[in-house]
Amino acid sequence: MPAGDRRDGRSGGRRLRSALALGIALLLLAGCDGGAAVPRERKAPAKNTGFPAADRPVATIVSARWSTEEARDRLNEAEKVMGLAGIKPGMTVADIGAGEGYYTIRLGQRVGKEGRVVAEDIVPDTIEALGKRVLQQRLDNVSVRLGLPADPRLPEASFDRVLMVHMYHEIESPYEFLWRMRPSLTPDGQVIVVDADRPTEHHGTPPDLLKCEFTAAGYAPVSMRPMPSAGGYIAIFRAAGERPEPGMIKACKSGARATPVAVQSGQGSE
């Protein structure tokens, strides 16, 4: 079992707080425009990393903005997502693909002074602008980091929740990314994915494909439900069992069309 799965969450929290005390660092994936098909798409690179390549197109990063913050707030998007994710004061949360910081700012307010938020993006200009915004709003419990496309580089055993909102379809190497992210979760940690129910080349992820890729990388689904106010659906995963060896991970076959979201027992529509 990897060391990240064995370590105590409290020690990870202390390491994270020490890192945050150093100030704003420079990490990961921008959000995306929720519009029509983009003119270009990327295929996952067939690098000899030991991880399988994704059997699907990878959406091009076209914008750090999915929609205006005012429009999203009118739909109460962030509050609904954070509520369904169980995000509470005092938690430590990662905002992956933070973009302009719509969730980062609201997460910082939600977790309060005793909580911590790490916002990550792989676009240097985006993360620099977000760092300035965090300073201007005096969110001392928030730090920003510049990440790598296949590695979120999160501290081990540190995060109660990891949010990935409208960005999963932009990850070039999803199996490596998810595998490297897994040790960052606390024993009760969860990963929250919000995405559109459409093919990856059209800036979404079919729910069945999402569940397959997460399961292949060592996660288990907790819940999945439609969420029109956030542009599609919300899915929650947790780490399950031992983290698989990279060479044992099998790529999921992608379908040509998106599939309907299956609402699990006890879950309803918005």
Side-chain angles (χ1 to χ4, degrees):
M1 181 179 292
D5 292 335
R6 298 194 301 265
R7 295 188 180 182
D8 184 88
R10 291 174 296 177
S11 63
R14 288 195 296 270
R15 289 195 301 274
L16 178 59
R17 285 167 171 75
S18 297
L20 293 175
L22 295 176
I24 294 180
L26 284 173
L27 208 307
L28 183 79
L29 296 153
C32 72
D33 192 317
V38 296
R40 296 182 296 115
E41 65 185 44
R42 298 172 292 163
K43 290 287 186 178
K47 297 178 181 178
N48 185 22
T49 62
F51 295 91
D55 180 38
R56 58 172 171 83
V58 180
T60 303
I61 300 174
V62 293
S63 173
R65 174 177 295 180
W66 177 74
S67 179
T68 67
E69 296 196 7
E70 293 79 6
R72 297 171 83 171
D73 279 343
R74 282 197 295 271
L75 294 172
N76 204 28
E77 177 192 330
E79 287 299 316
K80 289 179 179 178
V81 169
M82 291 188 295
L84 291 170
I87 296 174
K88 301 175 182 178
M91 280 188 167
T92 299
V93 182
D95 181 12
I96 304 298
E100 294 179 334
Y102 174 73
Y103 273 90
T104 300
I105 301 303
R106 289 153 182 81
L107 286 167
Q109 297 166 346
R110 180 96 166 196
V111 302
K113 293 182 179 180
E114 298 302 315
R116 294 291 183 272
V117 175
V118 172
E120 299 180 296
D121 205 285
I122 60 169
V123 181
D125 289 345
T126 296
I127 209 67
E128 181 179 356
L130 179 54
K132 292 178 180 178
R133 183 179 182 183
V134 168
L135 285 174
Q136 289 170 352
Q137 298 201 19
R138 301 181 183 276
L139 291 174
D140 296 334
N141 61 345
V142 176
S143 69
V144 301
R145 298 165 63 93
L146 181 67
L148 300 174
D151 185 358
R153 297 165 60 192
L154 298 175
E156 292 183 355
S158 297
F159 293 92
D160 302 300
R161 299 291 186 269
V162 174
L163 264 65
M164 305 169 70
V165 180
H166 293 295
M167 54 72 63
Y168 183 80
H169 48 268
E170 295 174 352
I171 301 176
E172 294 185 356
S173 303
Y175 302 105
E176 181 176 1
F177 184 92
L178 295 175
W179 189 88
R180 295 189 183 283
M181 182 176 72
R182 192 182 123 143
S184 72
L185 295 172
T186 60
D188 296 323
Q190 296 179 341
V191 181
I192 317 300
V193 179
V194 175
D195 214 337
D197 183 3
R198 54 179 177 247
T200 54
E201 63 267 37
H202 297 298
H203 285 258
T205 307
D208 284 349
L209 177 61
L210 181 78
K211 288 188 286 187
C212 183
E213 291 184 348
F214 264 82
T215 300
Y219 297 79
V222 175
S223 65
M224 179 175 285
R225 61 182 286 170
M227 194 169 188
S229 66
Y233 63 86
I234 180 171
I236 302 178
F237 299 89
R238 60 175 176 82
E242 293 191 7
R243 190 168 60 158
E245 293 296 326
M248 299 299 293
I249 298 174
K250 303 298 182 183
C252 301
K253 296 294 182 181
S254 62
R257 296 185 300 175
T259 56
V261 176
V263 180
Q264 295 189 358
S265 176
Q267 302 283 346
S269 58
E270 270 188 85

